Amino acid sequence: MDCRSLHHPSAAEFRKLPAVDTLLQRAEIVALATEYGTGPVTAAARAELDAARSAIHSGQPALTGEQWTERIARRVIVADASSLRPVINATGVLIHTNLGRAPLSQEAQTAVVHLARGYSTLEYDLEAGRRGSRHTHPSRLLCELTGAEDALVVNNNAAAVFLVLTALCQGREVIVSRGELVEIGGGFRIPDVLRQSGATLVEVGTTNRTHPQDFARAVSAQTAALMRIHASNFKQLGFVKKPELTQLVTIARSHIRAPGSRPLVIDDLGSGTLLDTARFGLAEEPMAQSSVRAGADVITFSGDKLLGGPQAGLIVGTAECIERLRAHPLARALRVDKMTLAALDATLRAYRRGRATVEIPVWRMIVQSADAVQQRARQFRQQLTAAGIDVAVIPGRSGIGGGSLPGETLPTFLLALDIPRPDDAAASLRQANPPVICRIQKELLLFDLRTVLPEQEQALLDGLRSCPELQREGLGRPEDKDVSGDRDGRRGDGL
Ligand SMILES: *Cc1c(COP(=O)(O)O)cnc(C)c1O
C-alpha cells in the first residue's frame, strides 16, 4: 500500500509547490528568460505548476528543485520551436506540395543567402546610377531559355494566371475546352479564377473531345483569348481529343478584327518544363520553348514544380502582352521578393549551363537510376541490421507529384518494414528531429531514398534507430508483398 495515502498526503505535497516568482528567481530560469524571453518562461512555469497540481491530485509527489528547472526548460524549448522546419521526405514523391515542393539547388541556396544578407541591385541600374527594375533580372534568362520576346515573374503560377486573365481579358470572353476546366488543388479552379478576373468563360467541346472547329465557331468580337490549360493532375484516356496549340494559334490569327487586334492565345502549362521529360523515361510534359515556338502569346508556368526552383509564376510571351501585364496594378501586388529572384536566377543559370540534371535536386532525383537507389538502400539496410532493425529492400515506384506528370512513376527500391502497427511507427517518426515522413502501402512501412537528400541520410538513420516502434520483435517478411504496381490510395502519400 502507498503509505502517502494514509495521512492527507496531498496536502503536504501541495505545500511543497513553489510560488511562480520563486521559480522565476532560480539562476537557471533567469538564464532561460534571457534567451527565450520572460513571457514564454513565465507561461511555461505556470503551465508546469498546473501540471504538478494535477499530478499531486493523482497521487504523485511534488517535483524537486532540479526537476522544475528541467521541465520548464523543456517546455520553453518546445514552445519556441518553429512549426515551419525541415523534414526528411522519404515518401518518394519528388515534388511534394505539402512538403514544400522543389528543394533548392546548392547554387540557389547560396544565391539567396548572399543576396539577402545585404543590399543589392534589386531595383538599381549600376550603369545609369539610378532606379532600375526588378523585372529585368529574370527576364533576360527566361527569354534566352524559352525563345520568348519578354518575360515577367510573379508569386506563383496561380497568380500568373490571374494576372494574365485580369490584365488581358477583363470584361471580354475567354474560350476554354470543357475538358480543361480543371481544379488544380487548394481550391484553384479555372472557371472561378476566370470569373474573379472579370472575364467571361465560353465553354466549348465536351469533357472528352474538343475540336479546333469548336474554338473557331465560338470566336466573336467579344473574344479576348483562346486558352489552353494543361490537365496537370489527371489523365484522360480513350476516346479523347483536343486541338493542338498551333491550331488555336491559326484560329486566333485568322480573326484579325482591326490592325493589331485579334484574340490572344494563352497557354497555362502548370508545371511546364525546360527539359524534355520524355528523354528521362517519363511521359511528355509540355515544354515552355515549344509553346513559344507554336506561337502562343502568353505562357504561364511554375517555378517550383519541374523547373525545380523557388515558388514563382513565370510568364513568357510577346513583348506587347508582357508590357501590358507589367503595367497592370496587380503586377505590383503579385511581385516577387529578392530572395525568390536570387533563387530563380541561380536555377535558370543551371539550365543555361546545361547542368540542370547535375545541380537541380528535382532533376537529380529524376535521373537517379533505380540501381543507384538500390545501392543506397542496401547500405542503409546494413546499418539498420547492425542496429537490430530488420528491414528489406524491395522494388517499388517513386512518384513525380506536384501536379506534374499524373500517374507517371519511376522504378525505385524501397526500404520496407513489416511491423504490426505501421501507423504508430509513422506517427513516431514524424516526431523525430528532423521529422521523417514516410509512406504506408499494403501495411508496410516504406522509405524511398530517391527523395532523401544525400546530406540527410545520417539524420534518417538516426531517426530510424531511435524509433521505439521499429525495435520490436517478430517482424514479418516484406518481400512477400508486391508494391511495385500502382501507388494509388495509400496513406502518407499526399501530393
Ligand atoms: C500547379 C498549377 C497551377 C498553379 O501553380 P502554382 O505555382 O502552384 O501556383 C496553375 N495551373 C496549372 C495547370 C497547374 O498545374
Side-chain angles (χ1 to χ4, degrees):
M1 179 182 236
D2 185 348
C3 66
R4 280 177 296 135
S5 62
L6 287 177
H7 17 254
H8 308 293
S10 40
E13 292 301 316
F14 275 124
R15 272 194 297 277
K16 290 189 200 161
L17 284 177
V20 184
D21 287 339
T22 315
L23 282 176
L24 295 179
Q25 277 158 20
R26 296 177 66 100
E28 302 93 325
I29 303 291
V30 170
L32 207 59
T34 311
E35 192 173 345
Y36 293 96
T38 312
V41 171
T42 310
R46 292 222 162 90
E48 280 306 329
L49 275 167
D50 286 345
R53 270 184 214 107
S54 313
I56 295 173
H57 267 303
S58 56
Q60 289 165 45
L63 303 181
T64 67
E66 238 160 67
Q67 283 173 319
W68 281 113
T69 313
E70 219 171 83
R71 296 215 186 173
I72 292 169
R74 204 183 312 146
R75 194 179 278 266
V76 166
I77 289 165
V78 168
D80 187 68
S82 173
S83 59
L84 179 62
R85 55 200 182 117
V87 302
I88 296 176
N89 174 12
T91 65
V93 177
L94 274 62
I95 306 169
H96 200 305
T97 298
N98 302 151
L99 303 183
R101 288 204 184 150
L104 292 183
S105 68
Q106 189 55 57
E107 290 74 8
Q109 296 170 44
T110 308
V112 169
V113 173
H114 197 61
L115 199 89
R117 197 180 277 146
Y119 300 104
S120 64
T121 57
L122 180 65
E123 291 188 355
Y124 191 77
D125 182 336
L126 284 177
E127 251 170 64
R130 57 179 153 79
R131 189 184 173 157
S133 162
R134 73 177 61 213
H135 299 306
T136 53
H137 308 292
S139 295
R140 202 172 40 87
L141 266 174
L142 278 169
C143 291
E144 193 180 318
L145 292 167
T146 63
E149 289 174 14
D150 204 353
L152 177 67
V153 176
V154 292
N155 257 316
N156 52 27
N157 191 33
V161 172
F162 186 55
L163 173 62
V164 166
L165 291 173
T166 307
L168 305 179
C169 307
Q170 196 164 56
R172 297 202 291 146
E173 294 176 354
V174 177
I175 309 173
V176 184
S177 159
R178 288 200 167 86
E180 296 181 354
L181 292 172
V182 299
E183 174 176 320
I184 307 308
F188 187 83
R189 294 174 153 190
I190 291 295
D192 297 342
V193 176
L194 261 157
R195 200 172 309 119
Q196 275 297 323
S197 72
T200 305
L201 168 65
V202 176
E203 302 177 25
V204 295
T206 62
T207 305
N208 57 330
R209 288 174 73 83
T210 301
H211 305 275
Q213 273 310 307
D214 294 325
F215 274 90
R217 272 196 293 270
V219 177
S220 76
Q222 284 309 305
T223 308
L226 284 59
M227 186 175 187
R228 184 176 82 153
I229 300 127
H230 183 55
S232 304
N233 45 12
F234 69 101
K235 207 148 91 177
Q236 283 190 325
L237 295 173
F239 194 49
V240 178
K241 187 172 192 293
K242 55 178 68 175
E244 296 292 328
L245 189 60
T246 48
Q247 293 175 310
L248 297 188
V249 170
T250 306
I251 295 167
R253 289 186 181 166
S254 68
H255 281 84
I256 296 179
R257 294 171 291 227
S261 157
R262 59 164 177 83
L264 300 171
V265 173
I266 299 170
D267 194 18
D268 175 18
L269 295 180
S271 169
T273 175
L274 294 175
L275 295 184
D276 181 1
T277 47
R279 263 177 48 209
F280 304 92
L282 295 165
E284 261 176 57
E285 185 75 9
M287 296 175 74
Q289 308 87 302
S290 312
S291 294
V292 172
R293 224 176 301 126
D297 298 285
V298 184
I299 299 141
T300 63
F301 57 111
S302 275
D304 57 352
K305 290 183 181 172
L306 280 170
L307 194 90
Q311 178 189 302
L314 315 184
I315 313 174
V316 300
T318 63
E320 191 197 332
C321 285
I322 300 294
E323 188 44 48
R324 280 168 68 194
L325 297 177
R326 205 176 275 140
H328 195 277
L330 248 190
R332 171 65 170 78
L334 303 175
R335 77 179 187 188
V336 289
D337 81 323
K338 60 190 174 195
M339 291 189 275
T340 302
L341 287 172
L344 181 63
D345 183 69
T347 306
L348 292 174
R349 280 189 288 118
Y351 284 96
R352 183 168 59 181
R353 291 195 298 265
R355 287 179 54 81
T357 57
V358 183
E359 291 181 13
I360 299 174
V362 165
W363 284 99
R364 284 168 59 157
M365 291 173 191
I366 289 175
V367 301
Q368 184 163 171
S369 70
D371 283 350
V373 184
Q374 185 181 31
Q375 213 157 28
R376 287 172 71 193
R378 283 184 172 158
Q379 272 165 13
F380 243 78
R381 181 178 57 191
Q382 250 174 20
Q383 286 172 284
L384 288 171
T385 309
I389 300 174
D390 200 5
V391 60
V393 175
I394 63 171
R397 314 287 303 183
S398 310
I400 305 299
S404 326
L405 296 162
E408 284 295 307
T409 57
L410 296 163
T412 194
F413 281 88
L414 306 162
L415 287 163
L417 281 107
D418 196 353
I419 52 172
R421 278 183 303 280
D423 285 301
D424 291 354
S428 174
L429 285 165
R430 289 198 300 273
Q431 302 305 317
N433 187 22
V436 175
I437 316 297
C438 62
R439 196 167 116 200
I440 297 167
Q441 211 177 341
K442 301 222 166 118
E443 298 306 313
L444 291 177
L445 195 64
L446 301 172
F447 303 84
D448 188 342
L449 293 183
R450 185 187 294 279
T451 51
V452 175
L453 305 174
E455 61 269 26
Q456 290 181 316
E457 278 189 8
Q458 188 56 49
L460 174 61
L461 206 53
D462 293 343
L464 293 174
R465 280 203 201 110
S466 49
C467 175
E469 283 81 2
L470 302 188
Q471 305 288 350
R472 292 217 187 94
E473 301 292 312
L475 299 177
R477 295 193 50 79
E479 295 90 336
D480 299 340
K481 295 185 186 174
D482 180 12
V483 296
S484 60
D486 70 328
R487 307 178 19 125
D488 288 344
R490 293 312 301 152
R491 289 159 284 155
D493 193 7
L495 302 190

